[in-house]
Amino acid sequence: MIRIIGGEFKGRKIKKVPSSRVRPMPHRLKETLFNILHPLLQDKVILDGFAGTGSLGLEALSRGAAEVVFVDEYPLATKIIKE
């Protein structure tokens, strides 16, 4: 199960993309990344390239980013991010 790990939306579930083409970032790696980036996110526009499940962009929004641009070439991934 993928969840938002911090910020305003902490604990909310994120849908998985049912495909081996999309691999979510491991929880511990995402937590470490956002512990480092958190002070820099406030009111910024973030690019989530190769977004997959969108978990990085959604985490950034939860922690104060103003906007996130999600980019992924896999149609099923983009459909799930929009949901």
Side-chain angles (χ1 to χ4, degrees):
M1 169 117 2
I2 306 168
R3 293 184 184 270
I4 295 176
I5 57 175
E8 181 181 351
F9 307 114
K10 181 180 181 177
R12 287 199 184 177
K13 296 176 186 176
I14 299 172
K15 285 187 173 185
K16 288 182 77 173
V17 177
S19 171
S20 61
R21 291 178 60 176
V22 177
R23 295 176 306 201
M25 180 178 280
H27 176 83
R28 294 190 87 180
L29 179 59
K30 184 168 61 169
E31 185 174 22
T32 300
L33 175 67
F34 280 95
N35 284 340
I36 294 167
L37 294 178
H38 182 73
L40 306 172
L41 293 174
Q42 204 64 36
D43 301 322
K44 299 291 191 297
V45 177
I46 307 297
L47 172 65
D48 187 353
F50 304 98
T53 62
S55 70
L56 291 180
L58 294 170
E59 189 74 41
L61 286 170
S62 180
R63 293 177 184 241
E67 182 179 341
V68 175
V69 176
F70 296 93
V71 178
D72 201 295
E73 68 176 2
Y74 188 43
L76 184 55
T78 57
K79 178 182 177 210
I80 287 178
I81 292 169
K82 287 176 184 177
E83 289 177 7

